[in-house]
Structures are given as structure tokens and as C-alpha cells.
Amino acid sequence: MSADAATWDYIIVGAGTAGCLLANRLSADPQMRVLLLEAGGRDDYAWIHIPVGYLYCIGNPRTDWLYKTEPDAGLNGRVLRYPRGKVLGGCSSINGMIYMRGQSRDYDGWAAQLNDEAWRWDACLPFFKQHEDHWRGGDALHGAGAEWRVEKQRLSWPLLDAFALAAQQAGIPASDDFNRGNNEGVGYFEVNQKRGVRWNASKAFLRPVQRRRNLEVRTGAMVTRLAIERRADGALHAAGVELRTREGVQTLRAARAVVLAAGAVGSPQLLQLSGVGPAALLREHGIEVLHDLPGVGENLQDHLQIRAVFGVSGLPRNGTLNTLAGTWPGKARIALQYALTRRGPMSMAPSQLGAFARSAPERAWPNLEYHVQPLSLDAFGEPLHAFPAFTASVCNLNPQARGSVRIASPRADDAPKIAPNYLSTDGDRLVAAQSLRLTRRIAAQPALAAYAPRELKPGVEFQSDEALARLAGDIGTTIFHPVGTCKMGGDGDALAVLDGRLRVRGVGGLVVADASAMPAITSGNTNAPTLMIAERAAQWLRAPLP
């Protein structure tokens, strides 16, 4: 199809987790012409596919947008790196590979907010199963034989086994499946891998259909704004997108819909650049206000992880990754093991052991998630410490804090201002203090006594709620789960950007189908829920409602 005559049925902006699935599903109808646009490059960088390669993808301009947050008062003025995938597969190409749906109460809560039964857990479960290929096979809760591979991890660590037993001694039950609707318990995470190799959305959903004649995938394709027109009846309609090319700006038209799948940062940014968003913000940057939609870019939610580090003793030389990878023979052993068996530390997700717990006994549901690792470092991308240690990162699954994503200029090349507002409420600060106390209680259990864990961070000298909350601000960092910036909502919700079918309110032919659509963050890692949202969007786009 020539560029000058480029009219498509669907144009999808963003070939990340959601966009890859959408392209697969919408192009299944050979009568529909589908264009998938990705600002980044192809996923042919070797470190994408080796699980431990996330260390070389985060902070790498080849694969990451390199965003940073604004200075955050809750983090005592610190600025955080805010990774987002800029490559085919999006964040599924650089994330922790953990398969986690969240809890049934998350989706039942969405349904209540929207007054829409379609978002209840029981209604969403079939759409999780629809693309799933679970290692156990299919049953009432899991799918088998579809595109999205879910496997057990191909390693174990005696130190992590001891932590799991200590968690049980502290009152957290054992679990062999975090994806049944109530994820309380402790156990090893399941991961999106295939025989020790990362399984990203590009492999799962694009490669099997790359020969479809009605699907085109373009990389290096930067959408600068949406082409929104006002029709004769006064209604706004998304007619297509403006795409920057070497020859200049090109307008591509969509006959049926433009689908934003650019993520919780990219989708609100693009709407704002296109004149859809808070009127005062748009006027501040000289952008014509086509539709005053106050919620665009608001309601940002994320999981802040508090990384408690414990030094240990009584372990063999290979008892933690710090010591195993601390010598050239150790590094060679790790590389050889992966080359021969696709097992061992190079097959590791960033976190191996998980636990879901309650920050206080009176909590009605688990509101904490642990990511436990047989290693320690100052931050991702920094060297491992030279001493044996483990890290027990804990995050508040249901933060009260709400932040924002707002454009900093009218130029698409300029990163938006990301302000998560972590620990900005008394409730979030209390949960942070309680979570650190629970971590200490687990570390003090008999199962870990042989390792004599010593709290190195934050440090036992900090005891009061106030001191622990302040220290949480010093050591907390994002766990890379931004959502909610184009939230679904009911007719009475002033910040609702989307209706319950993911359509942008007040603009026809425009759908947002990514993590930005979540009204409230899910209780766990957010990649799997994003796939479910895309699956729902594809269903509704194929059979549009009046």
C-alpha cells in the first residue's frame, strides 16, 4: 500500500504488551487492514531474550524511554529512574517476567466503580485464559495451548527456601499458585519464559502472524499527535495519526478506530499533545483545546518497593548471587550453566520468591507483596555487593497516593513530567512502616537462624513509625507498575477518561487499551492485567456497540 493512499481500518499506536496482542486479534479478520506503529526498534537485541538481561535493557536507550520522575517529596526529594519499554514487545521485553493477575477483589472493585458487571473477576477470567499456555495445563483457572507461555522458574536457592519457611512461621501460608483470585501466601513466582528464555509479547503475538497480508508493523515510527476532526454535527472523531518520517510529517487515516496502546506514560502524553486533556495544561503549552478532559494524565498509581537488605553468614560460596558472581570462575560457571541447560542465575527473573501478606492483622485482604532475591545491590544497574546478602523488597499493593503525567512542552520529543507522589498520605506511610516491621519479623524466625541475618538497610536503629516511613522514602524505588492515567469511569466520575468499553469520552473512533485504563491498580505485577484489557478491547472493537 502506498504511503499517499494509506488508509487503514485500525491504527494501533504502541507495539508493547497490549499493542502486540491487539494487532494479532484485529488482523485475524482478513478483511480488516491493521497498522501497528512502534517508536522503538525491533526486539533483536540479545539481552532482551536472556532473562537476566533486564539489567542491560533498563537504562539502555535502545530499549528504554529513559524517563525520570520529578523530585518527589515522599521520597525526601529524590528523583527516580522510570523505565518504560521502547522496543517491540514494550515493557514485556524489559520487565521482570512475573505472571501475576492480581486479586478478584481488584476487578470486582472496578465493576463497582463503573457499575459494569463486565469487569468483575468472573467475567475477566476467561480473557486471561484465552491467551494463556500454563505449564500445568488447562483447568477452571488456567488456559493451555495459547500464545502466552507461563512456566515455573528453572532454579531454586536454599536461602530463599529458608525465607519461605520463615514466612510460614510468621503466619503467611504456603502457596503454589498466586493467580486463583486470592494471592495470599508465599512461594516461587511463575514467569513468562519458554525453556529458560524470555517470552515477550512480540514473540507470542506478532511473530506467528507476521505473514498476514493485512497486517503491517512499522518500527521507528514516532506518532507526534492524533488527527482529530470535528464533523458536521460538531462531534469530535479520531480520523488517524500524524507520523514523523524522514520526509516529514505524514497523516495516516483509520476508517474504524485509532487504538492507543502506548502505556500509562505514552497514552496520556499523546492525548494531551493532541488537544485532549485538562484545558489549563493544554493552554499553558499553547495547544488548542479540542476537548477539555480533566482526567487525562491524572490518577497515576504505582507500586513503591522498599528494599530491605540483610547480610547473612553460614552459606557456601555459591549461597548468594553476590558471592557466586563475585569471581571470574563464578561468572564462567553461571554462563556455562545457562549455555548448556538454560538454567541457573542467567535464567533468573529479577525476583524469584514472592509473598503476599497483610500489613496488620485487621486487614481484610493481603495488601503487601514481597519480591525476595538472593542478592543485594544499591539499585538496578549498579554492581552487586561484595558480601553475602539477600533482599526482601516489599510494596503496598493498594496505595492511596495519586500522581500525574503531564506534558512539559508541545513537542512529542520532550519527556512528560511524571509525578507519582509516593508516600504522600498518612495511610501509605503507616503501611510502609508496618511492612518493614513484618520483614523484620520474618527475618527473626527460626528457619533463618542458621544464616544469622543482619539488617543492613534500613537499619535496626530505626524503630518508630515516623522514622521507618522517612527511611522508606530514602530507600524506596518504583517497581515499574504505573497505571491509571486514562482511567475508565462511570458517567458521574469527573476524572473518567474512558467509558467501560475503553472508548475515550467525547471523541469518536478513539480507544485506549493499556495499563492507563485501570481505575485502580491491581494487587500485583501489572503485565498480565494489561494483556487481559487488550483482549477485552479486541473483542469490543470486533463487535462494536452502538
Side-chain angles (χ1 to χ4, degrees):
M1 180 178 296
S2 70
D4 293 338
T7 299
W8 306 82
D9 292 294
Y10 299 105
I11 296 177
I12 304 165
V13 181
T17 297
C20 289
L21 185 145
L22 284 159
N24 179 298
R25 299 297 188 253
L26 295 177
S27 65
D29 181 347
Q31 301 304 311
M32 294 294 107
R33 297 158 298 172
V34 180
L35 175 63
L36 177 62
L37 300 173
E38 170 55 44
R42 305 196 67 82
D43 58 330
D44 53 5
Y45 181 47
W47 281 116
I48 290 173
H49 308 289
I50 299 171
V52 79
Y54 69 90
L55 292 169
Y56 304 99
C57 294
I58 290 175
N60 183 339
R62 183 172 180 171
T63 49
D64 183 359
W65 281 95
L66 304 180
Y67 294 129
K68 292 184 178 179
T69 68
E70 296 295 291
D72 197 301
L75 302 186
N76 305 319
R78 289 190 300 130
V79 171
L80 296 184
R81 193 162 57 178
Y82 215 67
R84 297 283 86 199
K86 187 182 182 182
V87 65
L88 284 183
C91 289
S92 76
S93 294
I94 69 170
N95 71 0
M97 296 163 281
I98 293 172
Y99 182 73
M100 189 66 59
R101 296 170 177 172
Q103 301 191 81
S104 60
R105 61 173 298 275
D106 300 330
Y107 303 96
D108 293 347
W110 292 6
Q113 287 187 51
L114 292 161
N115 193 27
D116 187 345
E117 294 295 296
W119 289 104
R120 288 186 59 82
W121 165 258
D122 289 344
C124 292
L125 181 57
F127 293 92
F128 283 109
K129 295 172 60 179
Q130 185 169 318
H131 51 256
E132 188 178 18
D133 183 21
H134 195 272
W135 65 273
R136 284 195 182 100
D139 58 23
L141 292 170
H142 291 289
E147 301 96 340
W148 197 233
R149 182 63 179 168
V150 180
E151 291 190 348
K152 296 174 67 175
Q153 294 189 67
R154 297 163 69 87
L155 51 80
S156 65
W157 293 81
L159 178 58
L160 296 185
D161 295 339
F163 187 98
L165 183 55
Q168 293 170 57
Q169 291 170 344
I172 303 170
S175 176
D176 64 353
D177 187 352
F178 290 130
N179 290 294
R180 295 176 292 198
N182 181 349
N183 49 20
E184 188 164 20
V186 59
Y188 280 90
F189 289 122
E190 295 174 331
V191 291
N192 296 121
Q193 294 182 8
K194 202 165 202 177
R195 295 184 292 275
V197 176
R198 177 189 290 273
W199 195 245
N200 68 350
S202 175
K203 290 179 186 174
F205 301 106
L206 287 186
R207 293 188 189 181
V209 300
Q210 60 187 345
R211 296 187 182 278
R212 285 180 180 169
R213 298 183 63 183
N214 63 323
L215 171 64
E216 182 175 337
V217 180
R218 298 187 192 176
T219 56
M222 180 75 170
V223 175
T224 56
R225 64 189 296 273
L226 306 176
I228 298 176
E229 300 175 348
R230 192 173 297 277
R231 293 185 164 177
D233 60 1
L236 293 172
H237 186 83
V241 302
E242 292 186 4
L243 180 69
R244 188 173 62 209
T245 68
R246 292 180 179 178
E247 292 74 32
V249 175
Q250 176 187 8
T251 299
L252 305 178
R253 300 186 69 83
R256 288 177 173 260
V258 174
V259 186
L260 289 186
V265 175
S267 288
Q269 179 191 22
L270 194 51
L271 285 172
Q272 292 168 5
L273 290 171
S274 306
V276 178
L281 174 68
L282 305 186
R283 293 190 183 106
E284 176 187 345
H285 296 292
I287 296 173
E288 179 186 0
V289 180
L290 297 180
H291 183 34
D292 181 9
L293 203 54
V296 174
E298 302 303 303
N299 192 52
L300 172 64
Q301 298 157 64
D302 191 13
H303 290 140
L304 180 76
Q305 62 172 340
I306 305 169
R307 295 175 57 81
V309 175
F310 292 82
V312 292
S313 58
L315 284 166
R317 182 67 185 169
N318 61 353
T320 72
L321 191 59
N322 288 10
T323 47
L324 179 60
T327 65
W328 284 111
K331 289 182 173 70
R333 174 182 168 185
I334 290 170
L336 184 62
Q337 183 183 19
Y338 186 75
L340 295 177
T341 68
R342 293 293 185 265
R343 295 181 181 274
M346 287 186 70
S347 73
M348 282 171 52
S351 299
Q352 300 79 51
L353 186 75
F356 291 82
R358 305 168 196 239
S359 62
E362 63 270 18
R363 289 278 179 179
W365 57 82
N367 65 320
L368 301 177
E369 179 181 10
Y370 280 89
H371 292 75
V372 191
Q373 307 147 335
L375 57 87
S376 64
L377 38 70
D378 291 332
F380 282 117
E382 298 295 322
L384 295 171
H385 293 149
F387 49 82
F390 70 85
T391 300
S393 294
V394 61
C395 67
N396 178 357
L397 289 170
N398 310 121
Q400 297 172 346
R402 298 293 184 268
S404 62
V405 173
R406 298 170 183 165
I407 53 172
S409 83
R411 295 178 294 275
D413 288 323
D414 293 342
K417 295 181 178 180
I418 302 170
N421 294 336
Y422 296 119
L423 299 175
S424 57
T425 72
D426 291 341
D428 287 353
R429 292 171 68 81
L430 175 61
V431 170
Q434 291 173 333
S435 69
L436 285 169
R437 287 201 181 90
L438 177 58
T439 306
R440 287 171 172 171
R441 185 153 62 88
I442 295 171
Q445 296 302 314
L448 282 167
Y451 302 111
R454 310 177 309 281
E455 182 179 324
L456 305 178
K457 187 185 287 189
V460 294
E461 64 270 27
F462 303 103
Q463 293 292 331
S464 69
D465 285 354
E466 180 181 357
L468 289 173
R470 185 175 64 253
L471 264 294
D474 284 337
I475 65 177
T477 186
T478 175
I479 205 164
F480 320 136
H481 296 165
V483 307
T485 48
C486 297
K487 63 173 282 191
M488 294 185 287
D491 292 339
D493 187 341
L495 292 181
V497 176
L498 312 177
D499 67 11
R501 296 300 178 270
L502 301 164
R503 299 173 293 199
V504 175
R505 291 179 173 273
V507 183
L510 184 57
V511 167
V512 179
D514 57 32
S516 70
M518 297 184 193
I521 195 167
T522 52
S523 299
N525 309 71
T526 51
N527 187 256
T530 300
L531 281 175
M532 183 275 294
I533 289 170
E535 199 80 81
R536 305 302 306 267
Q539 175 204 31
W540 289 321
L541 284 163
R542 290 194 303 258
L545 297 174

